[in-house]
Amino acid sequence: MAIKKQPKIKPCPVTVSLEPENQETPVHFVEDWITPEEFFYKRNHFPYPPPDDVPTTLKIEGLVKRPLVLDYKQLLSLPAKTLIATLECAGNKRILFHPRVYGVQWQKGAISQGIWGGVPLYTLLRMAGIKRSARDIVFTGADRGPDQSVYERSLPVEKAMHPDTIVAYQMNGGPIPHAHGFPFRLIVPGWYAMASVKWLCKITAIDSAFEGSFQTTDYMYYPHADTDDGKKPVTTIKVNSFIQQPQDYDTLKKGLNLIKGFAWTGKGTISKVEVSTDNGVSWKPASLFKSQHPYAWTFWKYEWQAEQKGEFIILARAKDSTGRVQPMVPEWNRKGYGYNAITSIRVQVK
Ligand SMILES: Nc1nc2c(c(=O)[nH]1)N[C@H]1C(S)=C(S)[C@@H](COP(=O)(O)O)O[C@H]1N2
Ligand SMILES: [Mo]
């Protein structure tokens, strides 16, 4: 009897919550630079906006000389730019904080990478004639909370005018899927992904610091449990890494074992990844596989000759070209953002 060809077995997203939909990428099993839509993590504060409620036009108003309303075709006719950028939720790895913190209990998969195509935001702001008095640019999504609250975030003018901050209308070569913000979403490479507003329908230039709740209450680092002293906004992605293989508490055989993963940063590029197989006593450099794209993650691998049986703690520590290094101890904060302590797993060699 002929052996039937097996269908290709695929990973699937890891569900964190369904209403609203929050799902992780199966990060141990992504081998590509580009995360396909079916595995792309999803992070939503509100239910999805019904597709018919999402405007098909983008408004640009506030402190501009020529307020604009642009449709899909008009946006497509403007000079476009394509970039590969990592999106990482500021709450990625929240579950690892000690003491534990409240919020969506993300493990290590609130991170994905897409090819984003669209128009640099500065092109639109110049077309509209942004005024000198503008200080913050506010981005409004079309999704609504139960009390009609809105998802809004701002960028300071300098970051808004950065040539790589784009209003995207393409993800991975096609129109942006509804869950990821069709028709338009902001992409802010290098910043945690709360900045990349989905279902973008309005851009407003204002002359003061924006004070919406997703900017002043959420997405702030609160270093203390019971006071707001020392609070700071969450912005740039910290240097970080992930071990894809082996997995935590795997059992390995004596001999050659491949340790691999990826590393990323929101500032500069990854310059080094070091691996320790003795809980930090000694460190060896991993081989890096860098993308041409400055905002893409870097794959790394290290071949470990496991000579002895026993239990081992394997660590990975990434450095970036600006000199930032993953710390041994994460910066604990009450809302659990920006966890980037040295990546650690435990394995048994039999
Ligand atoms: N309009 C809108 N934009 C949003 C959000 C949202 O809830 N509503 N969530 C933000 C957060 S916190 C993250 S991490 C990313 C998630 O993008 P994704 O679902 O495409 O992966 O979108 C950001 N943009
Ligand atoms: Mo997020």
Side-chain angles (χ1 to χ4, degrees):
M1 200 176 76
I3 296 169
K4 267 203 196 140
K5 204 176 164 236
Q6 294 271 325
K8 193 173 183 294
I9 298 168
K10 292 196 292 184
C12 63
V14 181
T15 306
V16 186
S17 73
L18 285 178
E19 286 175 17
E21 188 182 20
N22 287 309
Q23 310 231 33
E24 295 192 15
T25 295
V27 259
H28 289 280
F29 310 100
V30 295
E31 310 239 303
D32 291 332
W33 297 104
I34 305 308
T35 314
E37 178 192 343
E38 59 184 323
F39 306 140
F40 210 98
Y41 87 96
K42 293 186 181 124
R43 201 295 180 236
N44 296 291
H45 293 79
F46 303 142
Y48 287 115
D52 288 346
D53 290 4
V54 182
T56 54
T57 54
L58 176 62
K59 289 187 198 160
I60 302 170
E61 51 188 55
L63 295 172
V64 294
K65 291 173 203 144
R66 298 172 290 277
L68 296 176
V69 182
L70 298 168
D71 64 21
Y72 205 73
K73 260 196 169 160
Q74 287 170 304
L75 247 102
L76 257 66
S77 72
L78 296 169
K81 171 159 209 166
T82 300
L83 40 90
I84 295 185
T86 306
L87 282 193
E88 184 190 11
C89 180
N92 191 28
K93 305 190 181 182
R94 174 176 289 136
I95 201 162
L96 302 179
F97 276 108
H98 286 289
R100 294 277 299 271
V101 292
Y102 291 94
V104 180
Q105 293 300 300
W106 295 110
Q107 302 187 59
K108 299 173 179 178
I111 182 166
S112 300
Q113 191 154 273
I115 314 180
W116 306 100
V119 181
L121 178 62
Y122 74 77
T123 306
L124 304 179
L125 293 174
R126 286 205 185 126
M127 271 171 71
I130 180 170
K131 293 187 182 165
R132 276 173 179 277
S133 52
R135 170 187 166 157
D136 261 19
I137 311 295
V138 183
F139 304 91
T140 308
D143 46 338
R144 291 290 175 272
D147 48 357
Q148 290 306 300
S149 50
V150 189
Y151 190 84
E152 280 182 324
R153 290 270 319 172
S154 82
L155 291 177
V157 168
E158 313 79 74
K159 187 69 182 171
M161 296 299 276
H162 189 287
D164 295 333
T165 299
I166 64 173
V167 172
Y169 49 74
Q170 278 198 333
M171 170 174 148
N172 297 353
I176 299 177
H178 180 63
H180 299 289
F182 181 86
F184 312 122
R185 93 175 282 177
L186 191 67
I187 292 291
V188 186
W191 279 39
Y192 281 112
M194 73 280 148
S196 295
V197 175
K198 305 194 273 188
W199 310 289
L200 178 64
C201 56
K202 196 169 71 173
I203 298 175
T204 315
I206 62 171
D207 65 1
S208 55
F210 177 62
E211 298 212 318
S213 69
F214 291 106
Q215 192 116 356
T216 50
T217 308
D218 288 339
Y219 301 109
M220 294 293 275
Y221 293 111
Y222 298 96
H224 305 290
D226 22 60
T227 73
D228 289 357
D229 291 354
K231 69 172 183 171
K232 273 190 302 195
V234 174
T235 57
T236 311
I237 296 177
K238 295 183 184 182
V239 63
N240 213 331
S241 66
F242 173 64
I243 301 174
Q244 292 182 284
Q245 189 189 309
Q247 294 195 43
D248 205 14
Y249 281 81
D250 263 353
T251 301
L252 308 179
K253 290 209 182 85
K254 253 174 79 173
L256 198 63
N257 283 287
L258 180 66
I259 304 172
K260 65 168 194 170
F262 56 88
W264 64 97
T265 178
K267 232 167 138 184
T269 54
I270 292 295
S271 55
K272 197 175 201 180
V273 176
E274 293 167 297
V275 173
S276 174
T277 53
D278 54 14
N279 198 14
V281 177
S282 63
W283 295 87
K284 298 273 169 45
S287 329
L288 304 185
F289 304 91
K290 293 185 108 169
S291 158
Q292 310 276 353
H293 295 262
Y295 303 111
W297 57 44
T298 295
F299 284 106
W300 55 267
K301 73 167 187 196
Y302 175 74
E303 287 183 339
W304 178 35
Q305 193 66 46
E307 313 273 6
Q308 278 163 26
K309 293 182 183 174
E311 286 189 41
F312 295 87
I313 293 185
I314 299 177
L315 308 178
R317 176 172 72 186
K319 288 187 182 170
D320 72 20
S321 55
T322 73
R324 302 191 303 169
V325 188
Q326 286 183 262
M328 198 62 216
V329 179
E331 282 179 74
W332 186 92
N333 61 96
R334 196 169 73 221
K335 292 206 171 204
Y337 299 123
Y339 185 101
N340 79 327
I342 289 174
T343 311
S344 161
I345 58 166
R346 181 188 282 262
V347 298
Q348 183 183 47
V349 175
K350 284 226 264 206

